[in-house]
Amino acid sequence: MPDSLSFAHSAERNALRRELRARRRALPAAARIAGADALATRLFALPFFPAKGYVAGYWAMDGEIGLHSWQLRLPPGLVYCLPVLADDETLRFAPWRPGDELVTNRYGIPEPDVDPRASLTATDMALIVVPLVGFDGAGHRLGMGGGWYDRTLASRLQRPAPPWLVGVGFEAQRIDAVGAQAWDVPLDAICTERDTLIPSSSLPDAPP
């Protein structure tokens, strides 16, 4: 029998998710376009932003902040990837450029038309940009609740970056406190169109 306190907490978080998703969907188009451009600038300014390798984004849905401006401005040494759902309930990643073939996954989200078993893993990525439903000033993330990113990135609970993990969203999605869970994988930074939050533990070591 489910614990009543756990059920109440889960119901509360689901209600918060609905509120925050409605909040971001309500943003006007001009704010979305400007937000995507500003977000790209903040991502490039991160102190640990890689010079080469694979970087993973996502296909923006349901009012999520767009990554198109960032993708189109990536330098030649970086390869942009999109998530692909794998049978083990984790994400794989596949290189994707505008115009490449896409298919729709079980959640209605476009993903590269590749075999997940032949795709890249999280540990192959130099940096992964993670969509947020909500976040707080301490850098805690509220996701969709399916656990896909937490399962995929679980190795970061025991080992340092890479991949560097950056959560992104609009300032409208910031709340006072998310309430971190034991299985939540900590982020190295959170970027919005107006702010960059970086826990001090995420900063690269200074050169000797």
Side-chain angles (χ1 to χ4, degrees):
M1 182 175 178
D3 179 85
S4 58
L5 289 177
S6 297
F7 181 81
H9 181 67
S10 177
E12 192 175 289
R13 285 170 76 90
N14 286 336
L16 180 58
R17 287 186 180 98
R18 288 192 295 271
E19 177 190 336
L20 291 171
R21 290 169 66 190
R23 194 184 293 180
R24 72 187 182 191
R25 285 195 299 266
L27 292 170
R32 294 182 180 287
I33 295 168
D37 289 340
L39 175 67
T41 300
R42 290 197 170 277
L43 289 172
F44 286 124
L46 290 167
F48 47 75
F49 193 82
K52 60 182 180 178
Y54 295 102
V55 295
Y58 58 85
W59 189 275
M61 300 278 287
D62 191 41
E64 292 170 334
I65 194 166
L67 295 180
H68 51 280
S69 181
W70 178 60
Q71 180 191 2
L72 293 174
R73 289 163 56 185
L74 286 174
L78 294 173
V79 178
Y80 186 79
C81 299
L82 283 176
V84 179
L85 303 187
D87 291 339
D88 63 357
E89 299 294 298
T90 65
L91 300 172
R92 299 292 193 276
F93 301 91
W96 182 82
R97 295 174 300 179
D100 287 352
E101 191 77 17
L102 290 166
V103 294
T104 302
N105 65 29
R106 73 183 81 163
Y107 299 109
I109 302 171
E111 61 180 34
D113 187 13
V114 298
D115 184 343
R117 294 169 295 183
S119 299
L120 301 165
T121 67
T123 55
D124 295 316
M125 300 293 110
L127 179 144
I128 298 175
V129 176
V130 181
L132 305 173
V133 173
F135 67 95
D136 61 24
H140 298 135
R141 165 184 177 263
L142 180 68
M144 288 292 289
W148 283 88
Y149 278 98
D150 287 319
R151 288 189 296 272
T152 302
L153 307 175
S155 64
R156 276 297 315 273
L157 291 170
Q158 282 82 40
R159 52 168 284 182
W164 295 96
L165 309 178
V166 183
V168 297
F170 291 103
E171 274 294 324
Q173 296 166 242
R174 188 193 291 247
I175 58 176
D176 291 338
V178 167
Q181 307 294 305
W183 56 83
D184 288 343
V185 178
L187 299 170
D188 299 302
I190 291 178
C191 292
T192 73
E193 78 277 26
R194 286 188 294 185
D195 199 7
T196 299
L197 306 173
I198 303 180
S200 58
S201 59
S202 294
L203 291 173
D205 293 334

